[in-house]
Amino acid sequence: MERQDPPSDSIGDRLRRLRSERGLTQESLAALARVSVDLVKKLEQGKRETARLTTLVNLANALDVPLSELADKRPRLDGGRDRLVLGLRDALLSPDLLVGIDPSDDTGEPTPLPLLEAAVERAWADYWSGRFMDLARAVPGLIGEARLAKRSLGAAAARPLAQAYQIAADLLVHLGRDDLAAIGAERGIAEAAAGNDELQWATLHGAYCWALISHARHVEAEQVAIRAAQRVEPRFSVARQAHLVVWGGLVLWAMAAAVEGARPDTALEYISLSKVAAARMDRDRHDYQVNFGPTQVAMQSTFAHAVAGHPDKALAAAQGVRRDDLYTISYVRHLLDVAQAHADAHRDDTAVTVLHEAKELAPVWFRHQVVARTLVSGIRERKVRPSAALRELVRSLHAHP
C-alpha cells in the first residue's frame, strides 16, 4: 500500500515550503544543515514524521527560521488558543510603555507590595507545576499591577515587576513565541536594573539566554550567560548560597547553549565549572526561581550526554538526580532526556514508560515539547505493532483543543 502524502501541517510540508521559498534544493539544504539528503527527502515525503532535536535545529538554522516555525511548537492551551497568547503580547507591547505618553492604566491605588509579591509567588507556583492555562490568564493583569506599583513605589517594586516579565518570557518560550519571549526578558532585565538587587538582574539574563537558544542563536546565548555570570562571580569561600545558585544557574545556561550549538566538549567544561559551586551545597536550592545544586548539575549532565548521543553516560548521570530537589516541570524535562537515552540504547518500551510518567506529571506542559513529539514519533515509526501505551502518547500529543 502506498504511503499517503504528509498532511498539510506536517513537518514535511513545512520543510518543503520553507526550502522552496529560499530557492534551495534538497541537496543544498542538506549540505547547509550538515544532514543527509536522504533524511530531507524522507521528511518531505512523509516517510519520516520527525527527526532528532539537534537535526531539527540544524535544519531551522540553515533555513534561517526559529525552531518553532519548523517543528510546529504551537500553543495548545485547552480552550484558550491564541486569545491567551494575545493577552501576553498586549501586556508586553503596551503603548503605555512609550516614553512621553501618560499611561492609560495609571489609576487607583497600587497593590500593597506584600500582596503583589505573594501574587508573583502564586504565578511561579503555576509555572513550575505546568498550569500554563491559568498562568497565561493571570500574567497580563499581574504585569499591569506590578507596573502601577513600580510607578508609585519606585525601586521597591522593581523585583516583582521584573519577575512578572520573567514569568511571561519563560511561558512564551514554551508556547513557541520566541520573539515575544525575548521582549519579555529584555523588559525584565531593564526593570531589574532599576532596582537594587544585582542577583535579580543577573537571573533575568537566563530567560533572555533561553529565548536566544530557541532562535538557534547559540553563540550569542552563551555570551550573554557568561557575561552575566562574570559580573556576579562569587568569592566561593564567603559567598551566600543564593549567590552560588544564581552564578551556577548562569553557567548552566551557557552549557545549554553549547549543547544546542553542537559543542559537547565546551558544554562539559561548563559542567565541570558548575560543580565548583555545587560542591559547596548539600542539596539543591531554589533562589530567584533558579534551581541549582548537585541534582541540577546531574540533570544537566544527563541532558548534555543525551543530546550528544551517549545514552550510557546519560543514564549514569541520571543516577545523581534526586526527584525531591526539582520542581515538577524540571523533573519532567529531565525524564525526556532519560527517555531519549533509553530510545538511543534501543530500549523503546522503557522509553515509552518514562514518557508516560512525564505526561502524567505535567500533561499540558508535555504537549508543548518538541522533544516529546520527536521521541514519540521516532518510536512509533520503529514499531510495527505499537502498544496501547504508545498509541495513547501519540493521541495525547496530537490532540487539539
Side-chain angles (χ1 to χ4, degrees), residues 106 108-110 147-154:
D106 194 6
E109 292 295 319
R147 281 177 182 155
L148 179 57
K150 172 74 184 314
R151 288 194 292 270
S152 301
L153 304 175

Side-chain angles (χ1 to χ4, degrees), residues 306-320:
V307 172
H310 302 141
D312 291 341
K313 291 181 179 179
L315 294 172
Q319 296 301 308

